[in-house]
Amino acid sequence: MAESCARKLVVEVCHAKNLMPKDGQGTASAYAMVDFDGQRRRTKTKFRDLNPQWDERMEFPVDDAESMPSEMLEINLYNDKKTGKRSTFLGKVKIAGSAFVKSGSEALVYYPLEKRSVFSQIKGELGLKVFYIDEDPPAAAEADPPAEKEGNGEVEKKEEDKPKEAEKKEDEKPAETPPENTKADEAPATAPPAAAVENPPIAHSEKLKHLKERPENGKAAVNDLELRSLSGDRSRRSAYDLVDSMPFLYVRVVKSKRGDADSKSPVYANLVIGTHAVKTKSQSDNKEWDQVFAFDKEGLNSTHLEVSVWIEEKKEGDQTVETCLGTVSFDLQEVPKRVPPDSPLAPQWYTLESEKSPPPVNDVMLAAWFGTQADEAFQEAWQSDSGGLIPETRAKVYLAPKLWYLRLTVIQTQDLQLGLGPEPKVKTPELYVKGQLGAQIFKTSRTSAGSLSSGSSNPTWNEDLVFVAAEPFEPFLVITVEDATNGLSVGQAKVHVPSVERWTDDSTEARSKWFNLAGDESKPYTGRIHVRACLEGGYHVLDEAAHVTSDVRASAKQLARAPIGLLEVGIRGATNLLPVKTKDGTRGTTDAYVVAKYGPKWVRTRTILDRFNPRWNEQYTWDVYDPCTVLTIGVFDNGRYKRDDAGKPGKDLRIGKIRVRLSTLDTNRVYMNSYSLSMLLPGGARKMGEIEIAVRFSCSSWLSLIQAYTTPMLPRMHHVRPLGPAQQDMLRHTAMRVVTARLARSEPPLGQEVVQYVLDSDTHVWSMRRSKANWFRVVGCLSCVAMFGRWLDGIRTWAHPPTTVLMHVLLVAVVLCPHLVIPTVFMYAFLILILRFRYRHRAAPNSMDPRLSYAEVVGPDELDEEFDGFPTTRPSEVVRIRYDRLRALAGRAQTLLGDVAAQGERLDALFSWRDPRATGLFVAFCLVASLGFYVVPFKVFLLGSGFYYLRHPRFRDDMPSVPVNFFRRLPSLSDQML
């Protein structure tokens, strides 16, 4: 600022709306305290008014015009202590100096009142006009002091500082120190609500330009706040704090007004920005379009927006002629910015410019603003980066159905009318009961009808059939009694599933009922069946592999536990994705989207069309009930938004998948990292690109978190009435199919191929690669034991004499002070773990590991076998080769299992007298050992055994010892195997 000019800041406190009652009588007597650059002004008190009107003007001299952008204007509202017991806080507004506009550009702006702490009960808005005036020094010198000007506000006295003390008592709880992000966000000013802006907020863009020059915490530039909510509402800001703000140009086209009001022809609006062109739907009879269009700012290739209105008129021969009614153009640099929680921008009427002479008077109502993906209009808007309003490319949240185990206990039947007829030779009927729930069919074992008397029989089963039922339930469970000898149905009954009893424990059993069996129309009664049916809510229905489960809660709502934390995931973007399909048969392309699954909640981001480096920047949250659970994130190429010639949608293609185990995350810490996306293709493992995500696991109670580690993962019923391994595996795959079918019925559907890939529904299929990988995993786990054995053997063979000498000393100490052995072991463990804490893994959690999965060295034939369907579709020669290879691998595993079994059988033979001489020798040894230990103290024996084991190699024999030779000679049952 030149020295010949002086500057003063003018603040007009106009109006407040919807204030919080604070005087105990349902109202408030508010006044405003305005602070700027060490100067304070106060408005008059408006008694008992929740919508006070002040219209007071205050002026503040600006000492240094160049430093004004770094200053902060703060307005605090208080309830006057004269009308209540104390001055209570009603809210505050902070405006950065970089947001001040020059005189002539000011506008009345309503700022939402901010809280002082998370416990504050604040609501309402404050209307202000804030601008600055540059004057010559003489004019400024002749001016009266601000405190003496009429209408300039009252100069606050020292005793009026007392409301500052009252702030501490306002909520009866100490204000919490704002978090780091909150402090950073309080620096900028609150963005002016776009609805109140008559002219483009030039000063607001100047403020953001100033913020770009300052780093935040030395890491990220403060320009990240440009497209984030600038209010003090923490919940609003945290909605997108794990992702980058993405700028979008929003255009809301509401309706048009034509000069020839009598015309009934349909009209539509056409929006053009460079190469982007999109039309609204056609409407007639002055109906509103009310459509919102969101253009990705990075994809804009023009600085002007043109909106034109067209009329569709039908001529002779049903030919439609389109006529332009006019065009209105906008400079994008003049479009205001709007970020929630600002109020929506009010649409305005704009006159359409036409080439006709004289031009007709046609208007269009619209609003245009720059916002982010946090804008309320984004989800329902036409989106340029995801193909517009295509349902299959929109972001959606899916909820998997709530699953129950439906247990049907088949007890017996009575009075069955088997219809044996007069045939002299009739086989004894073999009856079984079949239960069917939707596509699930389970059968009991067969039982003979027994003695027949007049064609009736009363067989008994007492068997359980367990189904997976999903809410909303299938209407009926169909029970059928069938004869296996002729394949005919004896009779059928139906159980109404929604009315079946629900049980949460095993304290009692559900009531059993008799149902009449009915045949065809000629046989309305064919007997009756005794069954017990119940929905067992004490179990958790597993619908994913046990080692990657994301939810362990019981089905019954009564057994639900409170969440222990919150999982927040920011899906930021992907880089270097490979093309997975061709576009127009000329070039490769990828239309990528992300699916994240945790618990019953599935989320799908919007599809970014034709980009190899898509940026989604979408954030989602889940409640966490157990820390030992896994988040699964998959990336797919969208093939469903296009249909073939027959009208059928395509299939989505897999790009890659990652998993994050919550127990490996530090609480309340943000992990932001790029993860490699690897896919196992018929040609081998291939890197498909990288995905960048941010994860934060917030814990609400450390006590609940620690307690979770002491409780069983699965509900109680899994332990008191466990399901068999084979049955549980079958039910898991049934649940997977149920979830897949239900999500495929959503609109838009979540494809079967997507759900199966996320749930790992094909992990049970044989794979040579997985077998090798699991084998090396076992070898890796045993490597620690082998390492300890080598270390012990090195001590025993005096490879490092000082260490062996120290082991002798330790042996003597153990023998002389045996009571210190266990405390010493735990103390060493404590010290070792504490020392290793500083070397713990601090980076982002690991994702899929192709090397661990043995995907980098697998052969082509083994890959072809893994991708082969079930049953196989390969030629018999290929199947024979693979079968021989499988036999060889299984033979080695069989030998290993036999060797392990033989060791246990030799130990058993020592006590069962299978080898009388060996057992006799062992009996004699036991007698001598009992006498020897009676005479020789145990300490002497332990010391002597230790010295003997650690003896020098020169006193050692190269052959196996006598006990080893004796044990190896004991008989096993291998010689009795066929």
Side-chain angles (χ1 to χ4, degrees), residues 331-480:
D331 185 356
L332 297 186
Q333 295 181 354
E334 300 297 328
V335 173
K337 294 181 175 64
R338 183 254 172 185
V339 182
D342 295 352
S343 301
L345 184 65
Q348 301 180 21
W349 285 106
Y350 294 90
T351 302
L352 298 173
E353 299 178 359
S354 177
E355 297 179 355
K356 295 182 179 180
S357 181
V361 180
N362 298 317
D363 298 331
V364 63
M365 179 181 284
L366 59 85
W369 70 92
F370 277 109
T372 70
Q373 74 272 34
D375 199 293
E376 298 90 344
F378 180 71
Q379 293 301 329
E380 301 301 327
W382 179 96
Q383 300 168 2
S384 62
D385 60 351
S386 59
L389 290 172
I390 304 175
E392 289 80 7
T393 63
R394 314 286 287 184
K396 292 292 180 181
V397 175
Y398 299 85
L399 287 179
K402 189 175 183 180
L403 303 178
W404 295 71
Y405 283 143
L406 173 58
R407 185 182 296 271
L408 174 67
T409 304
V410 181
I411 303 174
Q412 64 177 348
T413 57
Q414 286 185 358
D415 197 23
L416 292 182
Q417 307 298 321
L418 299 178
L420 296 178
E423 291 84 355
K425 295 182 179 180
V426 179
K427 296 181 179 179
T428 302
E430 293 186 358
L431 303 178
Y432 65 89
V433 178
K434 180 179 70 175
Q436 181 173 359
L437 180 67
Q440 305 175 54
I441 298 177
F442 295 105
K443 301 176 181 178
T444 65
S445 60
R446 299 180 182 180
T447 182
S448 175
S451 60
L452 300 179
S453 174
S454 301
S456 64
S457 178
N458 302 322
T460 301
W461 285 275
N462 287 319
E463 292 186 25
D464 289 341
L465 302 179
V466 182
F467 303 83
V468 176
E471 294 183 357
F473 298 116
E474 297 284 344
F476 294 103
L477 169 63
V478 181
I479 305 173
T480 307

Side-chain angles (χ1 to χ4, degrees), residues 672-692:
M672 191 177 299
N673 194 32
S674 294
Y675 297 88
S676 177
L677 297 171
S678 299
M679 277 293 297
L680 186 65
L681 303 175
R686 190 175 186 183
K687 182 179 178 180
M688 305 295 293
E690 293 183 349
I691 181 174
E692 182 184 357

Side-chain angles (χ1 to χ4, degrees), residues 723-777:
L723 301 171
Q727 184 183 27
Q728 190 168 346
D729 189 63
M730 178 185 61
L731 291 173
R732 180 186 296 115
H733 288 93
T734 301
M736 289 181 181
R737 290 192 293 268
V738 171
V739 172
T740 301
R742 288 293 180 92
L743 293 179
R745 290 165 52 186
S746 304
E747 186 59 39
L750 197 60
Q752 175 182 354
E753 63 278 9
V754 173
V755 179
Q756 290 181 348
Y757 182 57
V758 173
L759 292 180
D760 274 348
S761 60
D762 58 348
T763 54
H764 66 289
V765 180
W766 159 259
S767 168
M768 178 70 73
R769 174 188 59 85
R770 288 197 187 98
S771 299
K772 291 182 178 179
N774 289 334
W775 170 259
F776 285 107
R777 287 172 60 196

Side-chain angles (χ1 to χ4, degrees), residues 692-709:
E692 182 184 357
I693 66 169
V695 181
R696 176 169 57 207
F697 172 35
S698 303
C699 176
S700 58
S701 171
W702 272 96
L703 182 61
S704 300
L705 182 62
I706 296 175
Q707 186 181 3
Y709 281 87

Side-chain angles (χ1 to χ4, degrees), residues 404 502-507 535-539 554-559 716-717:
W404 295 71
R502 304 185 184 189
W503 293 91
T504 60
D505 52 32
D506 61 334
S507 57
L535 289 166
E536 299 196 330
Y539 291 93
S555 300
K557 187 176 181 180
Q558 299 89 326
L559 302 179
R716 177 178 179 273
M717 288 293 291

Side-chain angles (χ1 to χ4, degrees), residues 551-672:
D551 190 12
V552 292
R553 292 176 294 167
S555 300
K557 187 176 181 180
Q558 299 89 326
L559 302 179
R561 294 176 293 182
I564 62 173
L566 187 70
L567 172 63
E568 300 170 87
V569 179
I571 303 173
R572 300 172 61 85
T575 57
N576 302 323
L577 295 181
L578 297 182
V580 296
K581 60 185 177 185
T582 58
K583 183 177 183 180
D584 302 327
T586 57
R587 63 182 182 86
T589 183
T590 298
D591 305 323
Y593 70 93
V594 179
V595 172
K597 193 265 183 190
Y598 184 80
K601 179 180 175 181
W602 298 63
V603 300
R604 186 183 73 177
T605 67
R606 68 188 189 279
T607 301
I608 306 297
L609 300 181
D610 196 16
R611 293 187 187 178
F612 299 126
N613 298 281
R615 306 301 298 178
W616 295 285
N617 284 307
E618 299 181 20
Q619 186 167 335
Y620 300 93
T621 60
W622 288 266
D623 286 329
V624 177
Y625 295 87
D626 194 291
C628 301
T629 45
V630 177
L631 165 72
T632 303
I633 298 177
V635 184
F636 301 87
D637 173 79
N638 195 329
R640 289 182 170 267
Y641 76 98
K642 291 185 178 180
R643 299 180 180 269
D644 56 16
D645 298 335
K648 294 183 179 180
K651 288 189 175 182
D652 297 340
L653 302 178
R654 306 172 178 178
I655 296 180
K657 177 173 57 179
I658 65 172
R659 292 195 185 95
V660 177
R661 184 170 290 274
L662 269 61
S663 59
T664 63
L665 304 177
D666 291 342
T667 55
N668 304 316
R669 175 188 172 189
V670 176
Y671 292 85
M672 191 177 299

